[in-house]
Amino acid sequence: MGRIICISNQKGGVGKTTTAINLAASLASAERRTLLVDMDPQGNAGSGLGLKRDQLNGTIYEALLNGRPMKELIHSTELRYLHVVPATPDLTGAEVELVSHERREFRLREALRPLAKEYDYILIDCPPSLGLLTLNSLVAADSVLIPLQCEYYALEGLSQLTHTVDLVRQELNPSLKMEGILLTMFDGRANIANQVVDEVRGYFKDKVFGVVVPRNVRLAECPSFGKPIILYDIKSKGCESYLALGREIMNREGRKPPARKVA
């Protein structure tokens, strides 16, 4: 059975979609069958992997609202082992439309169930909110990965998100675990960035990933080319960080990545 990891933070601009795309590519480059599901109406996970909106043959909206099989919505990418289920702005209306549906919190879990044995990892890119789309993602997931920008205000939203995770665990998904907190956009020249790292590591201890993702121009550039960083600049610091994150996640489960880095 594959593992489902939800990538969530209700604060925007923390590197959430960047993490979703590049962690998925890192796992796929290690020949892990990986599916990235875009639950953000902005649809950046798909476009960041080269999908053109006018060429899509289906989106996650159709699975959530119309019951269309998820298999029919899967799109290939440049990486052999990486597939994606895209989103478009149509998904914005799903927050309201889902309210009248029975078991509305379980729609994504039920849609993903047939795919559980076909992928080693299913990553879910959540919207920057704590609405029904994020709730569906948390209910469907085995664990939640929280990207945290190395700035002061980022800490304020962290307690709210961890509280939400606790509530979901109590009420809807008892098996939900904390995959870890990923420190992103780190600038070692800024005192506040180092203070945030020390504070988060001091409080959350082993729940914080060892790798820290730096501010990196190449990471910012690659979405405009529709490529993950591993296909855009494999020698960049940003690429090294996400390859290290993929190894850290696989090594936690005793899975050793093969020697070659690109599928």
Side-chain angles (χ1 to χ4, degrees), residues 243-256:
L243 287 171
L245 177 62
R247 287 193 295 269
E248 193 168 345
I249 287 175
M250 288 185 287
N251 288 342
R252 285 180 174 188
E253 302 176 27
R255 299 177 178 180
K256 302 295 183 181

Side-chain angles (χ1 to χ4, degrees), residues 17-154:
T17 298
T18 297
T19 295
I21 291 172
N22 292 297
L23 174 57
S26 175
L27 295 169
S29 72
E31 298 188 357
R32 301 295 186 258
R33 298 167 301 167
T34 306
L35 176 67
L36 176 56
V37 179
D38 194 354
M39 286 289 281
D40 188 342
Q42 295 178 78
N44 291 335
S47 62
L49 289 169
L51 300 188
K52 306 296 184 184
R53 191 165 292 173
D54 58 354
Q55 297 174 355
L56 300 180
N57 58 27
T59 70
I60 188 63
Y61 176 92
E62 296 171 55
L64 295 176
L65 275 301
N66 303 329
R68 187 174 173 186
M70 194 75 87
K71 275 189 175 182
E72 297 179 7
L73 308 173
I74 292 172
H75 295 67
S76 299
T77 71
E78 287 186 72
L79 289 167
R80 178 181 176 187
Y81 290 91
L82 177 57
H83 296 150
V84 60
V85 175
T88 64
D90 292 344
L91 190 59
T92 304
E95 292 273 10
V96 176
E97 295 174 69
L98 281 170
V99 170
S100 61
H101 284 257
E102 292 185 6
R103 292 176 58 82
R104 56 184 178 269
E105 303 92 346
F106 297 88
R107 303 287 287 188
L108 181 59
R109 176 193 278 187
E110 291 165 357
L112 288 175
R113 187 174 296 161
L115 300 178
K117 294 182 179 179
E118 296 189 21
Y119 290 94
D120 299 305
Y121 292 96
I122 298 176
L123 304 185
I124 306 171
D125 183 26
C126 295
S129 68
L130 293 177
L132 265 176
L133 294 176
T134 296
L135 184 58
N136 261 268
S137 303
L138 291 170
V139 170
D142 298 307
S143 61
V144 56
L145 187 158
I146 303 174
L148 183 72
Q149 187 177 5
C150 294
E151 293 185 0
Y152 174 75
Y153 288 115

Side-chain angles (χ1 to χ4, degrees), residues 17-26 36 44-52 77-79 82 216-234 236 238-239 242 262:
T17 298
T18 297
T19 295
I21 291 172
N22 292 297
L23 174 57
S26 175
L36 176 56
N44 291 335
S47 62
L49 289 169
L51 300 188
K52 306 296 184 184
T77 71
E78 287 186 72
L79 289 167
L82 177 57
N216 183 252
V217 172
R218 306 301 270 173
L219 272 176
E221 291 174 348
C222 61
S224 64
F225 291 88
K227 293 180 181 293
I229 190 65
I230 196 171
L231 296 180
Y232 182 67
D233 187 351
I234 196 171
S236 68
C239 186
Y242 280 110
V262 181

